[in-house]
Amino acid sequence: MEIKAPKGTQDILPDEIHKWHAVEKAARDTAELFGYREIRTPIFESTDLFARGIGEGTDIVEKEMYTFLDKGERSLTLRPEITASVMRALLEHKKTGGDLLKLYYIGPIFRYERPQKGRFRQSHQFGVEAIGSDSPQLDAEQICLAMEFYKRLGLDKLSVDINSIGCSNDNCRPAYRRDLITYLKENTDTLLGVLFGEIDNIGNKGLCDDCARRMVNNPLRVFDCKKDGCKQIISRAPRTYEHLCDDCRAHFEKVKETLELLGVKYRVNPNIVRGLDYYTRTVYEVLSESLGAQNALCGGGRYDNLAGELGGVKVGGTGFAAGIERAIMVMDEIGKKPERPGIPVIILPVGGEKAMNQAVTILKKIRDSGIPAELDYNNRGFKLLKKSEEEGWRFAFIIGEDELKEGKVSIKHLIKRDQKGIETAELEELLDSGGKDPVGILENLFL
Ligand code: HAM
């Protein structure tokens, strides 16, 4: 039986990998420009970390985790996100007591979701986390960082949606939550639900079954629902940012003010609540109109209670994660093609064993000079040059019987369609003198 890659996973083949390298380079360069340093954490963690960090009632923890028992009967989970792991690592290494820590990561996450365009079971994130500060300027800086990352990838027509979901003080989110539940109760058993809703549950007209459940456990999650009936009801619901306590309101105002100072365009969207329980105050998403239903390129926010949830001392934190597959999908869609680094030189030995030996020697010299080079190991000869464009070859070094006899190499410029003979000793000297632009030296032969 043919074995295939598991559903919802993808192979990244060599003709696609340059796009990944371009995105990863933009991610690293941008994060480092903003003062972030890389952190790497394990791909699997104790299941408890995510249950406590992300929250028992969330879709991720309830339905989407790849959880297994190892041979020592420990319950482990393939990480469905990386923020909880970063916080766990910092707490474990006692790094959270001092100054602000700014960290970034690039790596895979795993969620048992229904695969569709832009949604995978193994996907990859570039994320940043800043831990050790309540500063609203930091939230704004990270949104600015995300936009700089996308700018470097050539992505446009993006929008930044922000919101604040307040804090756990009783007069802030808990009070809002009570108001929201009252509103949902009042509005789901009425005609409104019948008019707009999908009436699959007569007891909860208007709200879908999932939301009827969320209304009790996690009412803010109703804002995430994509079903028309729920969307209609939620469009009239009380808004989080109108119910913030004074401190959270001031914090949100500062985030917005700083975004303006930084020249980042945004809109306040009360429907952004985010699907992970650890969020407090600022939440945001970067959306692209080139993606379909899964239009979030990036999501993040503040999580001032996460350290406490994981048993540490309370410390402010804020971050985002950007889906790499989704960034590449938008690049493909709008025709942004990152440069594919080629191998400029191919050596063709076309004179038997001796030519092959000479080719191996010259190949080493070319590579020593810093020029990426390849050799026709399978003796395909000139037929191989059909692949020049695909491989990015600019020069074919030909070593045949004549060249061997004369102590020469023939260099064919595959783009200019010109050919030159050069003595082997002279070629070696040229390569030795190559300095910072050894390929330029070969180009100069054809001026
Ligand atoms: P998230 O919104 O769950 O947040 O994921 C962030 C981004 O990862 C999404 O906007 C999307 O681009 C990508 N993503 C997530 N799941 C999938 C999937 N199944 N297939 C393809 N792409 C996906 C988090 O993960 C938080 N940890 C972000 C964060 C960091 N908040 C604070 N710090």
Side-chain angles (χ1 to χ4, degrees):
M1 197 183 64
E2 198 185 347
I3 299 176
K4 298 216 161 131
K7 194 172 166 187
T9 68
Q10 315 187 85
D11 297 310
I12 304 155
L13 297 174
D15 40 357
E16 291 284 312
I17 201 74
H18 63 291
K19 298 181 190 171
W20 285 75
H21 290 163
V23 174
E24 287 162 9
K25 180 170 181 342
R28 284 179 199 289
D29 289 352
T30 316
E32 279 162 26
L33 182 72
F34 281 70
Y36 288 75
R37 289 161 67 200
E38 188 174 0
I39 182 166
R40 298 186 191 188
T41 58
I43 301 282
F44 58 84
E45 298 268 4
S46 284
T47 303
D48 266 0
L49 172 66
F50 303 116
R52 277 162 58 185
I54 301 172
E56 297 273 10
T58 59
D59 280 357
I60 296 182
V61 172
E62 261 182 13
K63 309 187 216 160
E64 296 172 0
M65 297 209 301
Y66 281 90
T67 296
F68 58 96
L69 284 183
D70 75 0
K71 293 194 194 310
E73 304 273 301
R74 299 171 194 89
S75 179
L76 299 173
T77 293
L78 298 183
R79 62 184 187 194
E81 62 106 48
I82 308 179
T83 311
S85 302
V86 170
M87 186 60 94
R88 195 260 321 128
L90 296 185
L91 291 171
E92 186 170 333
H93 297 283
K94 305 199 173 22
K95 299 277 189 203
T96 56
D99 254 353
L100 171 64
L101 289 159
K102 294 170 78 176
L103 305 161
Y104 76 92
Y105 49 81
I106 298 172
I109 60 158
F110 306 86
R111 297 184 189 176
Y112 189 79
E113 296 196 86
R114 200 164 42 79
Q116 55 174 249
K117 190 178 170 219
R119 202 208 265 157
F120 305 93
R121 290 186 174 169
Q122 176 175 338
S123 66
H124 297 77
Q125 290 185 335
F126 155 50
V128 303
E129 313 290 351
I131 292 162
S133 173
D134 295 335
S135 163
Q137 284 83 6
L138 204 46
D139 301 23
E141 175 189 272
Q142 290 184 338
I143 298 174
C144 182
L145 190 167
M147 297 314 279
E148 174 62 26
F149 165 62
Y150 291 122
K151 188 171 123 201
R152 287 174 182 225
L153 298 179
L155 267 53
D156 49 14
K157 302 207 182 107
L158 305 184
S159 47
V160 177
D161 280 17
I162 66 168
N163 191 19
S164 174
I165 56 168
C167 67
S168 49
N169 289 343
D170 194 55
N171 62 342
C172 198
R173 189 157 15 140
Y176 169 73
R177 199 174 176 272
R178 288 190 291 272
D179 282 0
L180 179 63
I181 294 177
T182 309
Y183 166 85
L184 291 175
K185 280 195 180 140
E186 278 168 5
N187 287 277
T188 48
D189 279 331
T190 64
L191 252 186
L192 195 79
V194 182
L195 285 175
F196 295 115
E198 305 175 358
I199 314 170
D200 45 12
N201 179 342
I202 286 295
N204 287 288
K205 297 182 205 83
L207 284 185
C208 69
D209 277 352
D210 271 348
C211 286
R213 223 169 6 94
R214 286 176 185 141
M215 187 166 90
V216 184
N217 304 330
N218 201 347
L220 262 76
R221 296 278 291 114
V222 176
F223 283 94
D224 272 346
C225 190
K226 301 275 188 290
K227 301 209 173 99
D228 283 344
C230 302
K231 280 199 330 212
Q232 288 288 351
I233 288 172
I234 229 55
S235 67
R236 294 177 193 79
R239 290 150 187 242
T240 53
Y241 63 78
E242 288 163 355
H243 287 70
L244 299 175
C245 67
D246 290 348
D247 285 353
C248 287
R249 184 172 313 110
H251 193 276
F252 192 39
E253 288 309 315
K254 269 282 167 228
V255 173
K256 292 190 285 181
E257 191 185 315
T258 313
L259 285 173
E260 276 147 35
L261 290 174
L262 293 169
V264 177
K265 294 206 173 65
Y266 65 88
R267 64 179 180 211
V268 175
N269 178 351
N271 294 347
I272 302 284
V273 291
R274 312 274 304 132
L276 300 91
D277 276 359
Y278 52 59
Y279 289 111
T280 48
R281 295 189 164 172
T282 321
V283 284
Y284 55 90
E285 286 180 357
V286 179
L287 310 165
S288 162
E289 43 177 71
S290 309
L291 291 167
Q294 303 301 316
N295 64 350
L297 270 176
C298 157
R302 184 158 273 288
Y303 45 85
D304 296 336
N305 295 337
L306 179 59
E309 291 293 333
L310 299 180
V313 174
K314 192 170 179 218
V315 61
T318 186
F320 72 74
I324 297 185
E325 286 80 359
R326 292 191 191 172
I328 292 177
M329 274 171 61
V330 178
M331 287 164 75
D332 285 344
E333 202 112 328
I334 63 175
K336 287 283 165 210
K337 293 199 173 80
E339 205 178 307
R340 191 176 154 188
I343 297 179
V345 172
I346 175 75
I347 308 186
L348 302 180
V350 286
E353 188 79 2
K354 269 198 178 154
M356 181 55 96
N357 285 346
Q358 177 69 331
V360 169
T361 317
I362 289 180
L363 176 66
K364 170 88 167 66
K365 297 240 152 70
I366 297 173
R367 287 180 177 160
D368 284 350
S369 78
I371 303 176
E374 198 39 281
L375 172 56
D376 174 20
Y377 287 106
N378 283 343
N379 291 312
R380 302 270 316 276
F382 292 100
K383 278 192 289 226
L384 193 65
L385 294 185
K386 275 194 274 180
K387 285 176 57 181
S388 295
E389 207 172 312
E390 197 183 313
E391 301 289 343
W393 298 329
R394 290 181 73 79
F395 306 96
F397 282 42
I398 297 146
I399 305 169
E401 280 170 16
D402 290 349
E403 281 84 1
L404 283 174
K405 241 184 272 157
E406 293 167 24
K408 282 187 166 176
V409 178
S410 296
I411 305 181
K412 200 176 161 106
H413 196 302
L414 297 166
I415 292 152
K416 294 188 173 165
R417 295 177 185 280
D418 193 2
Q419 185 161 325
K420 290 244 149 76
I422 179 166
E423 298 210 348
T424 318
E426 195 190 334
L427 174 67
E428 284 176 16
E429 239 172 71
L430 267 180
L431 291 172
D432 280 347
S433 70
K436 283 204 174 113
D437 182 20
V439 181
I441 291 218
L442 298 180
E443 287 292 351
N444 288 345
L445 292 172
F446 293 87
L447 286 179

